[in-house]
Amino acid sequence: EVQLVESGGGLVKPGGSLRLSCVASGFNFSSYSMNWVRQAPGKGLEWVSSMSSSGRYIYYADSLKGRFTISRDNAKNSLYLQMNSLRVEDTAVYYCARTYFCDSWGRGTLVTVSS
Amino acid sequence: EIVMTQSPATLSVSPGERATLSCRASQSVGNILAWFQQKPGQAPRLLMYGVSVRATGIPARFSGSGSGTEFTLTISSLQSEDFAVYFCQQYNNWPLTFGGGTKVEIK
């Protein structure tokens, strides 16, 4: 069974940083591209970033303007999102999802940016 | 950026009736389109990819059609568990983009 488990969310002040993690199991992690997708409270889905299976290709939403960094460790079956200079508008549930058409999702981790 | 527009925003349907949801892309995405279902408090679930390929475990009452810029998700006979929000997503071009969603509610 494919499982994706996110962690690392929490309450942070504007300008702060967080590092999200997603641990994968039940499939060959190193063979799949991975994504971060977020959902602000009561809103729709917003793609954040994607990384190819090898890590060679990386894509970001333009709105992030270099504040977020995606990475992965295939030996640890893990995907990461380093988030810096956080803003109130970054408040959302952050999901990791497998493949570019998001065939499996984790339950998400809530990031709240507030003073 | 390809803008995905879903309509209607809310669809009121009686159980057992057919529901037809629309998704329009601002430029062609070929057949590189997915549909998701999301229930309150849950993560999205993939329903369809490649426009019309049902994901594992998705019942046959769900079907997808279209190509280029116009797409449709049809639920042939709504069951109680189908009342949810549905999103389309194009994965043909970067950035990946989602539609704003259609809420299917009980009439």
Side-chain angles (χ1 to χ4, degrees), chain A residues 50-67:
Chain A
S50 298
M51 176 173 270
S52 62
S53 57
S54 65
R56 180 177 179 183
Y57 299 103
I58 294 174
Y59 307 90
Y60 295 103
D62 288 344
S63 62
L64 299 180
K65 293 183 181 177
R67 297 184 296 120

Side-chain angles (χ1 to χ4, degrees), chain B:
Chain B
E1 170 176 325
I2 297 177
V3 177
M4 307 300 291
T5 302
Q6 291 187 243
S7 62
T10 303
L11 186 62
S12 298
V13 186
S14 299
E17 289 188 340
R18 173 187 294 256
T20 303
L21 289 67
S22 295
C23 175
R24 172 177 292 178
S26 61
Q27 64 189 75
S28 178
V29 299
N31 66 340
I32 312 301
L33 183 106
W35 288 95
F36 302 88
Q37 177 192 68
Q38 187 178 32
K39 297 178 180 178
Q42 296 184 16
R45 176 175 71 146
L46 177 69
L47 296 175
M48 319 286 299
Y49 62 95
V51 174
S52 60
V53 182
R54 278 189 296 276
T56 303
I58 302 304
R61 63 180 181 273
F62 290 90
S63 62
S65 62
S67 66
T69 62
E70 301 282 346
F71 303 92
T72 300
L73 176 71
T74 301
I75 311 171
S76 60
S77 177
L78 271 162
Q79 306 298 302
S80 58
E81 61 266 30
D82 301 334
F83 292 96
V85 179
Y86 293 82
F87 296 96
C88 60
Q89 178 222 355
Q90 69 80 21
Y91 53 102
N92 189 56
N93 289 84
W94 301 100
L96 306 183
T97 46
F98 291 88
T102 291
K103 181 180 181 181
V104 177
E105 64 176 24
I106 300 175
K107 186 174 181 180

Side-chain angles (χ1 to χ4, degrees), chain A residues 1-5 23-27 29 77:
Chain A
E1 179 194 3
V2 173
Q3 274 204 311
L4 298 169
V5 180
V23 177
S25 60
F27 65 101
F29 180 75
N77 291 341

Side-chain angles (χ1 to χ4, degrees), chain A residues 6-23:
Chain A
E6 302 93 338
S7 62
L11 176 62
V12 62
K13 288 181 167 53
S17 298
L18 277 177
R19 188 191 194 213
L20 306 184
S21 299
C22 170
V23 177

